[in-house]
Amino acid sequence: MSAVEEKIHPRPAADVLAWGRALIGPALREAVESLPEAVRRIVGYHFGWSDEQGRPAGEADEAGGGKAIRPALVLLSAEVVGGEAADAVPAAVAVELTHNFSLLHDDVMDGDTSRRHRATAWTIFGRGPAILAGDALMTLAFDVLAAAGRPAARRAARALGAAVLELIDGQYSDVSFERRDDVALAECQAMATAKTGALLGGACALGALYGGAPDERVEHLGAFGRHLGLAFQHVDDLLGIWGDPGVTGKPVYSDLRNRKKSLPVVAALTSDTPAGRELAALYRSAHPLTDPELARAARLVEEAGGRAWSQAEADGLLATATRELDWAQTGASARAAAELQSLARLVTRRDH
């Protein structure tokens, strides 16, 4: 396909995600097959490849392993800077393994009982085994980078390690917020940037590294991913309150039930409004919130302005991310840049 044709015919986001999953799928499965049998069974279940007995899953469950947005960001970032997506497959696999390490741990810490329309791994195999499976995925991610023997592997490993440490710091803050009544909005934004923005930024930076980009373009793509990650977290937090369980795979009001200090919630709690103060009283109550109380809490977040603020922040962050992408792309990468923008719009939609 010529550069002119690429400018005219970017693929729809769904096609890009399918392309990314197909490109990394064999390498991802090969990597997982190298794990010890005990954790491999948990990982296979978590990815939707098998049931709890280790039997191959049907077609519906195979598709339930997630959209694989982060690997697609890696692959497209390599193309945006003039490289080949195929060269970035090890980085894309490493990022997907890292992301799923964090999901396995998050589900245990948050006590979530469903993900991707299935029971979470810890509810089937136990908390300890699920944590160990997550640890195995994180170790495997660095092994994949090292085993590929690419020139960018050393820098990529350091970049991924830095992103993981930042992610862990953000997750630590998120957990600590549950024990505090005085979380400031700036603290919450910093936590979300670390918890979610770090890995999306790292994904785009790794793609740029494997695409042979100079440092300036690597930095711009990393910034694109970080801004997109924070926008994504705003949207994910909105879905954690108002999302359709049939679409999100999570129970209705799941974040409110867990009394998460999410972005729209903290915006409401710090709004100094009657609705914000009533929400704070509900969050401080000693008993589990009833269904009517959860519905009331959702209305209070909206009345206090938390919902509108998060929506506006997501839109502004998406615009900032797009500017970073404009500075990062090469003249011959219009199609890949358009597809990155399409993915960015997809992950900041409020109906997925």
Side-chain angles (χ1 to χ4, degrees):
M1 182 180 290
S2 70
V4 172
E5 288 173 325
E6 288 183 343
K7 291 178 184 178
I8 297 172
H9 298 295
R11 295 165 294 181
D15 290 352
V16 170
L17 292 173
W19 161 77
R21 288 194 297 269
L23 194 56
I24 74 161
L28 180 62
R29 283 183 176 264
E30 181 181 359
V32 170
E33 281 298 314
S34 71
L35 291 172
E37 182 179 357
V39 293
R40 187 169 68 240
R41 180 178 163 194
I42 300 171
V43 170
Y45 172 84
H46 171 75
F47 274 117
W49 299 339
S50 59
D51 65 14
E52 54 266 36
Q53 277 79 43
R55 297 172 301 208
E59 185 177 348
D61 281 332
E62 285 280 359
K67 295 184 178 72
I69 288 169
R70 289 157 187 81
L73 291 175
V74 175
L75 301 172
L76 287 177
S77 294
E79 293 189 336
V80 157
V81 299
E84 298 290 335
D87 292 336
V89 166
V93 170
V95 165
E96 183 68 353
L97 292 169
T98 301
H99 173 54
N100 282 277
F101 137 79
S102 73
L103 295 182
L104 282 162
H105 283 201
D106 283 356
D107 287 341
V108 172
M109 287 185 284
D110 294 342
D112 286 339
T113 57
S114 65
R115 177 175 295 280
R116 299 165 179 164
H117 309 287
R118 308 176 89 199
T120 45
W122 74 265
T123 66
I124 302 294
F125 301 99
R127 294 177 183 271
I131 290 170
L132 291 172
D135 294 342
L137 289 185
M138 187 70 266
T139 303
L140 186 59
F142 287 98
D143 184 64
V144 167
L145 289 178
R150 303 290 171 82
R154 183 171 181 177
R155 287 185 65 191
R158 290 182 63 84
L160 182 61
V164 171
L165 288 176
E166 190 175 354
L167 181 157
I168 290 170
D169 186 45
Q171 184 64 28
Y172 183 89
S173 295
D174 193 23
V175 171
S176 72
F177 288 175
E178 297 175 13
R179 302 188 298 272
R180 291 175 49 193
D181 296 326
D182 61 343
V183 177
L185 191 54
E187 283 184 288
C188 192
Q189 289 172 299
M191 174 275 294
T193 299
K195 188 177 80 166
T196 306
L199 188 55
L200 266 72
C204 295
L206 260 65
L209 283 172
Y210 275 75
D215 289 348
E216 183 180 10
R217 284 204 171 102
V218 173
E219 290 171 7
H220 281 307
L221 273 168
F224 163 78
R226 288 179 71 85
H227 290 304
L228 177 60
L230 183 53
F232 172 83
Q233 190 60 57
H234 275 283
V235 173
D236 197 55
D237 286 352
L238 291 168
L239 293 171
I241 300 174
W242 292 283
D244 178 359
V247 176
T248 64
K250 293 184 177 182
V252 67
Y253 303 139
S254 60
D255 282 359
L256 297 178
R257 194 179 304 274
N258 294 327
R259 305 190 204 201
K260 296 279 289 185
K261 302 293 198 315
S262 64
L263 287 158
V265 167
V266 173
L269 290 171
T270 58
S271 65
D272 195 25
T273 61
R277 289 189 284 274
E278 185 179 343
L279 178 67
L282 275 176
Y283 258 53
R284 288 195 299 267
S285 62
H287 64 273
L289 296 180
T290 64
D291 288 345
E293 286 174 328
L294 289 169
R296 177 60 180 164
R299 288 195 297 273
L300 291 170
V301 174
E302 186 160 12
E303 289 173 15
R307 186 175 191 173
W309 174 79
S310 261
Q311 290 174 343
E313 284 290 302
D315 292 339
L317 287 159
L318 180 58
T320 301
T322 298
R323 288 194 293 273
E324 294 286 354
L325 178 58
D326 289 342
W327 290 324
Q329 65 179 295
T330 64
S333 62
R335 177 192 56 79
E339 290 173 356
L340 271 177
Q341 289 174 331
S342 180
L343 279 187
R345 289 191 295 271
L346 174 69
V347 303
T348 52
R349 275 183 7 210
R350 298 175 185 91
D351 58 351
H352 65 283

